[in-house]
Amino acid sequence: MPTYKLLLLPGDGIGPEVMAEVKKLIAWLNARENVQFVTEEELVGGCCYDAHEVAIQNETMAKAHAADAVIFGAVGGPKWDKVDYDARPEAGLLRLRKDLGLFANIRPAICYPALADASSLKREVVDGLDIIILRELTGGVYFGEPKTIADLGNGQKRAVDTQVYDTYEIERIARVGFELARKRRNKLTSMEKRNVMKTGVLWNEVVSALHEREFKDVALEHQLADAGGMQLVRWPKQFDVIVTDNLFGDMLSDIAAMLTGSLGMLPSASLGELDGRTRKRKALYEPVHGSAPDIAGKGTANPIAMLASFGMALRYSFNMDKEADLIDRAIAGALAQGLRTADIKSEGSKVVSTSQMGDAILREAEKLAV
Ligand code: IPM
Ligand code: MG
């Protein structure tokens, strides 16, 4: 029986609450006896700052490197607004992404039929939606140097962030995009701002060249990122896979989340390069939503994005497609019963707590597994 090491990092706010539902799912999978997940848990984000004055400890980074997958909740909150920039909660997440080399962030936006009315858009626009935002995650303005605020000495300050991309960074994320598209509806849309940014010019050039060289069978389209944002809310079903840089991907994936009804629905996988020797990739799985401090501790958070993120771990890290499908179907099943957490409630549905939703999804999985 294969044994896998998982590092659980629940983080802040609703992170621990939604992670609790993943722990139930892990226990259920372990009890079925065709796989064994061994878990360890550590602090990250604001809670780690409170305990150790850093957003993530070196020991935890070492464990993340050694794990088969990292399962991440959420970080941040107003409590840590005044903390030093380098120690702010988000720094823990960014260090994980950068140090593990997790350049490919896959953010699927799927609109479950039962939820088409929870979206702020019309049912026909989102019903049956199934797209992927593929976000470059280790480059661009998030990590570019210089990144400074300088005092100009005349009562003025100057802040600089640097948007920078090398050919290889664009090429490797585009390759993931073409490969994902090939397994789906065979269409890749690349988004940048080549009309104002040099990185956009290079991005466009590199994606086009790779297409020409290796992926002519995939339909490639280019959109300016601002127009792309507009198209995402106008007619999102025109897309299959969207590949874009770190900052545009951050924004476009929040937009895509609302197409599915709630930020509480969007899972994500962050993957590194395939290691030629071990045939493994470093990987981290996290919901797209944040720590939601306003509802933390109330037991009302939606655990679906977190559970679906674990489903992505089964699919992308452990080759357990059958179990991953099972989780997706169990989520759809719980929703079809009319169960809703507060963020996705609608007329005639039954509002349930975080743990009731987790339990209902497990019960569905149990039914489907026989
Ligand atoms: C995300 C989040 C993060 C980001 C924050 C928490 C640093 O918004 O994963 O989309 O900006 O990448
Ligand atoms: Mg974001």
Side-chain angles (χ1 to χ4, degrees):
M1 174 165 56
T3 301
Y4 299 118
K5 270 196 293 194
L6 299 177
L7 177 64
L8 308 185
L9 300 174
D12 307 318
I14 60 169
E17 292 163 58
V18 292
M19 189 66 81
E21 302 313 306
V22 169
K23 289 184 199 166
K24 291 182 194 166
L25 181 58
I26 293 172
W28 180 74
L29 287 166
N30 279 348
R32 295 181 69 222
E33 293 184 342
N34 45 14
V35 64
Q36 208 53 38
F37 291 110
V38 181
T39 62
E40 251 195 289
E41 194 168 322
E42 291 297 342
L43 299 175
V44 68
C47 58
C48 187
Y49 177 82
D50 289 344
H52 307 290
E53 291 188 359
V54 287
I56 191 161
Q57 293 183 281
N58 292 337
E59 294 82 348
T60 305
M61 285 305 304
K63 286 181 186 174
H65 276 281
D68 291 302
V70 179
I71 313 295
F72 188 98
V75 289
K79 182 179 173 199
W80 301 284
D81 273 353
K82 298 257 163 1
V83 168
D84 265 1
Y85 187 80
D86 290 333
R88 74 200 190 289
E90 290 77 7
L93 174 59
L94 296 177
R95 181 169 174 203
L96 281 160
R97 290 174 178 171
K98 189 71 178 174
D99 288 7
L100 297 179
L102 308 174
F103 70 94
N105 182 218
I106 304 173
R107 300 188 156 186
I110 293 170
C111 185
Y112 292 89
L115 281 192
D117 292 320
S119 172
S120 50
L121 299 186
K122 293 194 198 89
R123 169 175 272 278
E124 67 263 27
V125 176
V126 294
D127 194 8
L129 181 76
D130 175 4
I131 63 174
I132 287 180
I133 311 268
L134 177 65
R135 168 185 177 193
E136 199 291 325
L137 203 61
T138 51
V141 78
Y142 272 64
F143 298 100
E145 297 284 349
K147 194 176 192 64
T148 51
I149 301 182
D151 200 329
L152 298 182
N154 55 354
Q156 294 285 306
K157 290 183 182 176
R158 177 172 294 152
V160 178
D161 288 292
T162 305
Q163 163 85 345
V164 49
Y165 273 108
D166 290 359
T167 304
Y168 81 96
E169 294 177 286
I170 303 169
E171 195 170 291
R172 68 181 177 181
I173 190 73
R175 173 167 284 110
V176 174
F178 284 119
E179 281 167 356
L180 278 174
R182 255 188 195 157
K183 292 196 204 132
R184 296 166 48 93
R185 297 187 300 278
N186 217 30
K187 180 176 174 189
L188 183 69
T189 306
S190 169
M191 293 190 187
E192 31 60 15
K193 282 281 290 176
R194 64 185 176 283
N195 52 350
V196 283
M197 296 165 81
K198 290 292 185 186
T199 48
V201 173
L202 184 65
W203 185 281
N204 185 281
E205 227 174 78
V206 173
V207 175
S208 300
L210 181 66
H211 176 242
E212 194 63 28
R213 260 193 345 264
E214 295 178 36
F215 294 98
K216 272 200 147 154
D217 55 300
V218 181
L220 171 67
E221 180 187 72
H222 300 279
Q223 289 189 8
L224 296 174
D226 55 342
M230 181 271 287
Q231 291 296 342
L232 253 182
V233 289
R234 191 186 71 86
W235 189 244
K237 289 186 216 171
Q238 69 185 277
F239 298 112
D240 180 12
V241 180
I242 295 171
V243 64
T244 190
D245 79 11
N246 205 343
L247 183 61
F248 294 142
D250 181 43
M251 303 182 62
L252 294 170
S253 59
D254 266 29
I255 297 178
M258 269 324 287
L259 305 175
T260 70
S262 162
L263 251 182
M265 298 297 298
L266 228 70
S268 90
S270 305
L271 307 177
E273 209 103 54
L274 190 67
D275 182 323
R277 199 173 47 83
T278 61
R279 309 301 299 159
K280 285 188 189 170
R281 292 175 191 279
K282 295 253 187 292
L284 177 147
Y285 299 88
E286 59 168 322
V288 170
H289 65 67
S291 59
D294 51 323
I295 58 162
K298 296 191 176 146
T300 58
N302 185 347
I304 292 179
M306 185 77 248
L307 287 166
S309 298
F310 189 73
M312 291 187 84
L314 298 178
R315 198 180 300 285
Y316 290 100
S317 284
F318 307 120
N319 267 317
M320 295 172 67
D321 280 18
K322 222 174 76 217
E323 286 80 359
D325 288 342
L326 189 85
I327 292 170
D328 288 343
R329 282 162 56 218
I331 291 170
L335 292 171
Q337 281 174 35
L339 303 181
R340 302 283 187 275
T341 42
D343 57 313
I344 47 175
K345 70 170 182 251
S346 59
E347 287 255 322
S349 64
K350 179 167 184 246
V351 176
V352 295
S353 68
T354 309
S355 68
Q356 285 171 327
M357 181 58 98
D359 290 341
I361 291 169
L362 259 189
R363 272 198 308 277
E364 282 292 310
E366 184 82 54
K367 267 196 271 169
L368 291 164
V370 289

